[in-house]
Amino acid sequence: WLANSGADFYNGVATQSLRFDDGSSPYLSRDFSGSSPDNDKKMTISVWAKRGNLSGVTQVIIGNYNGVRFLGELSWRSDDKLRFRPGGNGNGASNQYFVETSSVFRDVSAWYHVVLAYDSTQGTDTNRVKLYVNGTQHTLTAGSGQSFPPSNYAHLFSYAGANNAIGYYPGGFNSNYLDGYLSEFNFVDGLALAPSSFGETKNGVWIPIEYTGSYGSNGYRLQFDQVGVGTASTSTIGADTSGNTNHFT
């Protein structure tokens, strides 16, 4: 998509995408069993996403579950807002910690660069979750009966033993498969970063740049430029190219 748009303009960082057809129930999966995160109070997700359809149901970009802990998610909701939930420790209240944009995202012809920065060490609750689309921060609100995560609340996205799934909810929770395309998926363990770490404005257009910082122990970069499928490895479509070998199946 970017590779065919002019080599003199784009820098070749994101040249390949992975298609998710919800009718085929597709997803990528990884269990971080035995590998504790560097800091479960901070993380960053950066991904380029193009929606395939507006189905009127939740479509999950990334979700996780480990059988006893509540779901974590970054998803397009049924009303086309973006929602984030850090997951939880099974204490009941943890399922109420979620926030979502007031903006909606309904352009199926556009690529959206979504950056989610999580830092629960922040004293002000509204600073603990920041969500950016194409370099612009969007206002987040918590719905009735919900709230921003409490201070020092641990997220579930690199929790040892949690199943992380790109493109659906693991654990049989309605599935909610993604329909669309993803490209240049970066997860940074232990740091809450700004979108300038992953993109820049060039001639008025927001384009990807290569992230050059630390990924942390459970971080990964998925470029989707391999062709193999099945068991996670360097040659499969879920290969981690960050150097961490956190490959997805």
Side-chain angles (χ1 to χ4, degrees):
W1 52 282
L2 291 182
N4 296 326
S5 302
D8 57 337
F9 185 84
Y10 292 108
N11 50 25
V13 171
T15 60
Q16 183 75 9
S17 61
L18 181 59
R19 183 177 65 142
F20 293 76
D21 173 12
D22 58 359
S24 300
S25 305
Y27 64 94
L28 296 171
S29 180
R30 177 174 177 79
D31 188 337
F32 285 98
S33 180
S35 179
S36 297
D38 287 357
N39 184 342
D40 58 10
K41 313 299 190 299
K42 298 181 182 181
M43 68 164 183
T44 305
I45 296 170
S46 168
V47 60
W48 287 79
K50 182 178 184 292
R51 305 197 67 184
N53 63 40
L54 305 179
S55 61
V57 299
T58 294
Q59 294 188 20
V60 177
I61 297 173
I62 181 170
N64 54 52
Y65 185 67
N66 76 343
V68 295
R69 290 170 177 255
F70 283 99
L71 291 167
E73 65 172 304
L74 176 62
S75 62
W76 308 108
R77 302 301 294 175
S78 59
D79 57 5
D80 303 312
K81 297 177 180 180
L82 275 167
R83 174 178 287 184
F84 171 74
R85 177 164 39 193
N89 58 11
N91 63 6
S94 57
N95 218 30
Q96 299 174 359
Y97 303 143
F98 69 76
V99 293
E100 58 190 17
T101 61
S102 56
S103 304
V104 296
F105 303 91
R106 293 174 174 154
D107 189 348
V108 295
S109 69
W111 280 92
Y112 296 109
H113 180 218
V114 179
V115 174
L116 187 286
Y118 182 79
D119 181 359
S120 64
T121 69
Q122 294 292 319
T124 302
D125 60 353
T126 53
N127 288 334
R128 294 172 193 153
V129 182
K130 296 180 180 179
L131 198 149
Y132 307 82
V133 178
N134 296 337
T136 299
Q137 185 173 355
H138 283 253
T139 300
L140 298 176
T141 59
S144 177
Q146 286 76 44
S147 67
F148 280 79
S151 179
N152 293 309
Y153 188 78
H155 67 78
L156 199 60
F157 282 81
S158 54
Y159 177 81
N163 184 289
N164 284 258
I166 295 172
Y168 96 129
Y169 279 137
F173 284 87
N174 302 319
S175 297
N176 295 111
Y177 292 98
L178 177 69
D179 195 88
Y181 299 79
L182 299 180
S183 183
E184 190 61 21
F185 198 119
N186 288 270
F187 178 86
V188 180
D189 174 18
L191 296 172
L193 300 171
S196 57
S197 293
F198 309 95
E200 65 181 1
T201 300
K202 184 176 182 180
N203 296 349
V205 179
W206 185 258
I207 66 170
I209 60 173
E210 184 173 357
Y211 174 64
T212 58
S214 170
Y215 279 89
S217 299
N218 285 355
Y220 50 85
R221 179 190 185 190
L222 307 183
Q223 294 180 276
F224 308 124
D225 57 3
Q226 297 77 13
V227 296
V229 295
T231 303
S233 75
T234 58
S235 63
T236 57
I237 200 70
D240 169 24
T241 58
S242 73
N244 280 350
T245 67
N246 289 324
H247 307 306
F248 279 67
T249 296

